[in-house]
Amino acid sequence: MRTPGASKVIKKLVHEYPSATIGAGTVLTWQDAKIAKEAGATFLTSPVTYQELIQVHTSSTVLFIPGAMTPSEILQARRWRASCVKLYPVSLMGGIQYVKMLKLLFPSLPIIPANGISLDAVESYLQVGSTAVVTSVMPFSTRLLLCSMTMTKSQIEQRE
């Protein structure tokens, strides 16, 4: 949500790829969550553990994934009924070894590590128990993203 025009991009992706699961990241406020959901996001991620957003979304069709870094933050997110946590920033905490240690403490908690993860490391994170992984590499070009805000899918493909 920190990218200018994020809601337009979300709305466009939802329209162009109706079978895809489109979400929003860096949700820091109620306003961010509201804008992302109105644009069609079906999941929201945050770098922080935000009690009210966690609790409101426990009975929502939109999944809210709070960010947590320490075991205390993770435990608090669970107490507030978070169904999973985004481990952020995992690269600063020891990467794969940190995830492995946390899975010993919280074996049933879905953990999604994020920050500083290359595509080559995804499998290693999954092998130590991560539910999903947020890579630090865009799966599509920035040019394509910017073009998608003003052009149709077929117009973009013709230019590629």
Side-chain angles (χ1 to χ4, degrees):
M1 293 303 292
R2 63 187 172 166
T3 302
S7 64
K8 290 179 185 175
V9 173
I10 293 166
K11 191 176 285 192
K12 182 84 169 169
L13 290 171
V14 167
H15 175 75
E16 291 284 326
Y17 303 96
S19 64
T21 302
I22 307 295
T26 317
V27 174
L28 296 172
T29 66
W30 278 100
Q31 186 68 10
D32 288 345
K34 181 179 184 237
I35 290 168
K37 290 188 288 189
E38 286 174 354
T42 57
F43 71 92
L44 310 171
T45 67
S46 180
V48 298
T49 305
Y50 191 152
Q51 180 180 5
E52 291 81 11
L53 283 176
I54 293 169
Q55 291 175 333
V56 162
H57 289 94
T58 57
S59 58
S60 172
T61 58
V62 175
L63 174 64
F64 180 72
I65 306 168
M69 184 166 66
T70 66
S72 295
E73 290 173 335
I74 293 168
L75 182 60
Q76 189 59 63
R78 285 302 270 182
R79 286 184 179 146
W80 291 332
R81 298 184 298 151
S83 58
C84 59
V85 296
K86 178 174 101 172
L87 188 58
Y88 178 84
V90 73
S91 63
L92 297 178
M93 298 301 287
I96 293 166
Q97 293 305 314
Y98 190 57
V99 173
K100 191 174 183 179
M101 185 274 303
L102 288 174
K103 287 305 287 184
L104 293 173
L105 298 173
F106 304 101
S108 65
L109 175 65
I111 293 177
I112 304 168
N115 176 258
I117 301 172
S118 69
L119 291 174
D120 294 337
V122 169
E123 178 139 355
S124 296
Y125 276 94
L126 295 174
Q127 287 175 348
V128 297
S130 299
T131 300
V133 179
V134 178
T135 64
S136 296
V137 179
M138 277 201 173
F140 44 83
S141 71
T142 303
R143 185 172 143 284
L144 180 64
L145 177 63
L146 294 173
C147 288
S148 73
M149 293 175 65
T150 58
M151 302 171 69
T152 67
K153 180 179 166 188
S154 61
Q155 288 172 322
I156 293 168
E157 288 170 350
Q158 288 173 358
R159 288 187 163 213
E160 290 289 310

